[in-house]
Amino acid sequence: VYLLTGGLGGVGRWFAAEIVRRAPGARVVLAGRSQPDAAQRALLSDWASTGAQVEYVATDVGDAASVAALVSG
């Protein structure tokens, strides 16, 4: 499992794309504060169509309880 913070911003998007490309079937969880827009949801769908397990979770990684919930479940 790859957990990327920063959501679908430039760096997070780049790392996610590289993981999906280099590790077929990988599970990638992206965490960010905002909900993804239509274009970002389409990108997540494109990555999933390659066989990767891609999930986006709206959470504030600055909040310890939110992070604990994210990694425990």
Side-chain angles (χ1 to χ4, degrees):
V1 176
Y2 296 89
L3 173 60
L4 303 173
T5 61
L8 288 166
V11 175
R13 188 180 335 194
W14 183 85
F15 273 107
E18 285 298 305
I19 292 166
V20 167
R21 186 173 70 82
R22 295 176 186 234
R27 180 165 183 222
V28 181
V29 178
L30 296 112
R33 281 185 255 166
S34 59
Q35 294 293 335
D37 62 26
Q40 292 168 329
R41 286 191 303 273
L43 180 60
L44 294 169
S45 181
D46 287 347
W47 287 335
S49 73
T50 70
Q53 298 174 49
V54 182
E55 178 182 0
Y56 184 91
V57 179
T59 192
D60 181 359
V61 297
D63 178 62
S66 295
V67 173
L70 174 63
V71 298
S72 69

